[in-house]
mmCIF file of all heavy atoms in Angstrom:
data_model
loop_
_atom_site.group_PDB
_atom_site.id
_atom_site.type_symbol
_atom_site.label_atom_id
_atom_site.label_comp_id
_atom_site.label_asym_id
_atom_site.label_seq_id
_atom_site.Cartn_x
_atom_site.Cartn_y
_atom_site.Cartn_z
ATOM 1 N N GLY A 242 0.452 -55.317 -50.305
ATOM 2 C CA GLY A 242 1.080 -54.134 -49.724
ATOM 3 C C GLY A 242 2.584 -54.234 -49.636
ATOM 4 O O GLY A 242 3.272 -53.240 -49.419
ATOM 5 N N SER A 243 3.135 -55.442 -49.829
ATOM 6 C CA SER A 243 4.577 -55.622 -49.726
ATOM 7 C C SER A 243 5.252 -55.720 -51.098
ATOM 8 O O SER A 243 6.464 -55.859 -51.182
ATOM 9 C CB SER A 243 4.889 -56.879 -48.902
ATOM 10 O OG SER A 243 4.305 -58.004 -49.535
ATOM 11 N N SER A 244 4.469 -55.649 -52.160
ATOM 12 C CA SER A 244 5.023 -55.760 -53.509
ATOM 13 C C SER A 244 5.215 -54.375 -54.125
ATOM 14 O O SER A 244 4.246 -53.657 -54.379
ATOM 15 C CB SER A 244 4.084 -56.590 -54.393
ATOM 16 O OG SER A 244 4.435 -56.442 -55.751
ATOM 17 N N ASP A 245 6.493 -54.019 -54.355
ATOM 18 C CA ASP A 245 6.777 -52.699 -54.922
ATOM 19 C C ASP A 245 6.138 -52.533 -56.299
ATOM 20 O O ASP A 245 5.629 -51.455 -56.621
ATOM 21 C CB ASP A 245 8.295 -52.471 -55.028
ATOM 22 C CG ASP A 245 8.932 -52.289 -53.650
ATOM 23 O OD1 ASP A 245 8.206 -51.953 -52.691
ATOM 24 O OD2 ASP A 245 10.150 -52.500 -53.536
ATOM 25 N N SER A 246 6.143 -53.607 -57.101
ATOM 26 C CA SER A 246 5.567 -53.488 -58.447
ATOM 27 C C SER A 246 4.050 -53.307 -58.373
ATOM 28 O O SER A 246 3.471 -52.554 -59.148
ATOM 29 C CB SER A 246 5.930 -54.703 -59.307
ATOM 30 O OG SER A 246 5.357 -55.872 -58.781
ATOM 31 N N GLU A 247 3.424 -53.975 -57.413
ATOM 32 C CA GLU A 247 1.976 -53.830 -57.227
ATOM 33 C C GLU A 247 1.626 -52.407 -56.802
ATOM 34 O O GLU A 247 0.687 -51.799 -57.312
ATOM 35 C CB GLU A 247 1.496 -54.831 -56.166
ATOM 36 C CG GLU A 247 0.043 -54.702 -55.802
ATOM 37 C CD GLU A 247 -0.892 -55.330 -56.807
ATOM 38 O OE1 GLU A 247 -0.439 -56.161 -57.607
ATOM 39 O OE2 GLU A 247 -2.072 -54.967 -56.788
ATOM 40 N N LEU A 248 2.399 -51.869 -55.871
ATOM 41 C CA LEU A 248 2.141 -50.514 -55.388
ATOM 42 C C LEU A 248 2.422 -49.478 -56.480
ATOM 43 O O LEU A 248 1.733 -48.467 -56.564
ATOM 44 C CB LEU A 248 2.955 -50.227 -54.125
ATOM 45 C CG LEU A 248 2.596 -51.119 -52.926
ATOM 46 C CD1 LEU A 248 3.474 -50.813 -51.731
ATOM 47 C CD2 LEU A 248 1.128 -51.011 -52.555
ATOM 48 N N ALA A 249 3.396 -49.755 -57.348
ATOM 49 C CA ALA A 249 3.677 -48.861 -58.476
ATOM 50 C C ALA A 249 2.497 -48.869 -59.448
ATOM 51 O O ALA A 249 2.123 -47.822 -60.005
ATOM 52 C CB ALA A 249 4.957 -49.282 -59.186
ATOM 53 N N THR A 250 1.881 -50.042 -59.628
ATOM 54 C CA THR A 250 0.705 -50.149 -60.495
ATOM 55 C C THR A 250 -0.451 -49.337 -59.915
ATOM 56 O O THR A 250 -1.142 -48.620 -60.643
ATOM 57 C CB THR A 250 0.298 -51.632 -60.660
ATOM 58 O OG1 THR A 250 1.397 -52.328 -61.248
ATOM 59 C CG2 THR A 250 -0.926 -51.787 -61.527
ATOM 60 N N VAL A 251 -0.668 -49.448 -58.611
ATOM 61 C CA VAL A 251 -1.729 -48.676 -57.949
ATOM 62 C C VAL A 251 -1.467 -47.178 -58.159
ATOM 63 O O VAL A 251 -2.375 -46.423 -58.520
ATOM 64 C CB VAL A 251 -1.793 -49.006 -56.434
ATOM 65 C CG1 VAL A 251 -2.687 -48.024 -55.693
ATOM 66 C CG2 VAL A 251 -2.275 -50.432 -56.228
ATOM 67 N N LYS A 252 -0.220 -46.784 -57.974
ATOM 68 C CA LYS A 252 0.137 -45.372 -58.125
ATOM 69 C C LYS A 252 -0.094 -44.892 -59.555
ATOM 70 O O LYS A 252 -0.746 -43.868 -59.768
ATOM 71 C CB LYS A 252 1.601 -45.176 -57.720
ATOM 72 C CG LYS A 252 2.076 -43.738 -57.806
ATOM 73 C CD LYS A 252 3.379 -43.585 -57.067
ATOM 74 C CE LYS A 252 4.468 -43.055 -57.918
ATOM 75 N NZ LYS A 252 5.701 -42.801 -57.179
ATOM 76 N N ASN A 253 0.429 -45.627 -60.533
ATOM 77 C CA ASN A 253 0.341 -45.181 -61.930
ATOM 78 C C ASN A 253 -1.058 -45.298 -62.508
ATOM 79 O O ASN A 253 -1.560 -44.370 -63.129
ATOM 80 C CB ASN A 253 1.325 -45.960 -62.807
ATOM 81 C CG ASN A 253 2.757 -45.607 -62.472
ATOM 82 O OD1 ASN A 253 3.076 -44.466 -62.198
ATOM 83 N ND2 ASN A 253 3.624 -46.595 -62.476
ATOM 84 N N ASN A 254 -1.695 -46.456 -62.311
ATOM 85 C CA ASN A 254 -2.980 -46.703 -62.958
ATOM 86 C C ASN A 254 -4.158 -46.079 -62.219
ATOM 87 O O ASN A 254 -5.151 -45.719 -62.843
ATOM 88 C CB ASN A 254 -3.228 -48.201 -63.138
ATOM 89 C CG ASN A 254 -2.273 -48.798 -64.145
ATOM 90 O OD1 ASN A 254 -1.502 -48.096 -64.784
ATOM 91 N ND2 ASN A 254 -2.313 -50.100 -64.277
#
Side-chain angles (χ1 to χ4, degrees):
S243 59
S244 166
D245 289 339
S246 64
E247 175 79 18
L248 297 178
T250 300
V251 169
K252 181 165 123 175
N253 292 322
N254 292 354

